[in-house]
């Protein structure tokens, strides 16, 4: 795979592999970032996802330490559902954070976002294992 960096900020980096149609996203959100900035990052990420329309997404949250507030989780889910009407994601692999509270926030988002079971989600501890699963056919 040949990932090309397509977007980078203080909080998130995105890499695209055209051949496999995998979008790799690396989160780097500090625990003390503002709610407003976090929402801006989410909107930027959704726009990028719509632009590339990946089949599969690899989300690395090992350095995602921001604790998502319940009302923001609801807001994210609404935005995510709108995105899913435009992008048909097949699989999403998550590299999990060791920060327990941040991981609970992401898990809540995953559970809520996938309530309609429109795509498969798996958790991993390494990019290698996650990519293997994403690239499996069927």
């Amino acid at each position: 795979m040949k990932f090309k960096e397509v977007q980078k900020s203080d909080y998130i980096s995105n890499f695209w592999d055209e051949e496999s149609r995998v979008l790799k996203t690396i989160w780097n959100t500090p625990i003390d970032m503002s709610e407003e900035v976090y929402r801006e990052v989410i909107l930027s990420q959704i726009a990028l996802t719509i632009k590339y329309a990946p089949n599969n997404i690899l989300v690395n949250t090992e350095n995602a330490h921001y604790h998502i507030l319940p009302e923001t989780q609801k807001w994210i889910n609404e935005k995510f559902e709108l995105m899913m009407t435009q992008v048909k994601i097949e699989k999403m692999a998550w590299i999990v954070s060791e920060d327990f509270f941040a991981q609970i926030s992401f898990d809540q988002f995953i559970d809520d976002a996938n309530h309609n079971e429109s795509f498969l989600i798996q958790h991993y501890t390494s990019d290698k294992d996650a990519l293997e699963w994403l690239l499996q056919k069927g």
Side-chain angles (χ1 to χ4, degrees), residues 61-65 95-104 125:
T61 63
E62 290 177 298
N63 291 312
H65 302 291
I95 308 301
V96 294
S97 170
E98 292 183 20
D99 182 310
F100 180 71
F101 293 108
Q103 194 58 50
I104 287 174
T125 56

Side-chain angles (χ1 to χ4, degrees), residues 11-13 25-29 38 41-42 45 59-64 94 106:
Y11 306 110
I12 195 166
S13 297
T25 302
I26 301 172
W27 289 80
N28 186 25
T29 52
Y38 188 78
V41 171
I42 293 293
Q45 184 61 33
V59 182
N60 186 319
T61 63
E62 290 177 298
N63 291 312
W94 289 71
F106 274 108

Side-chain angles (χ1 to χ4, degrees), residues 37-53:
V37 170
Y38 188 78
R39 286 182 180 224
E40 288 172 9
V41 171
I42 293 293
L43 290 175
S44 172
Q45 184 61 33
I46 287 172
L48 188 88
T49 303
I50 290 169
K51 176 181 176 181
Y52 285 94

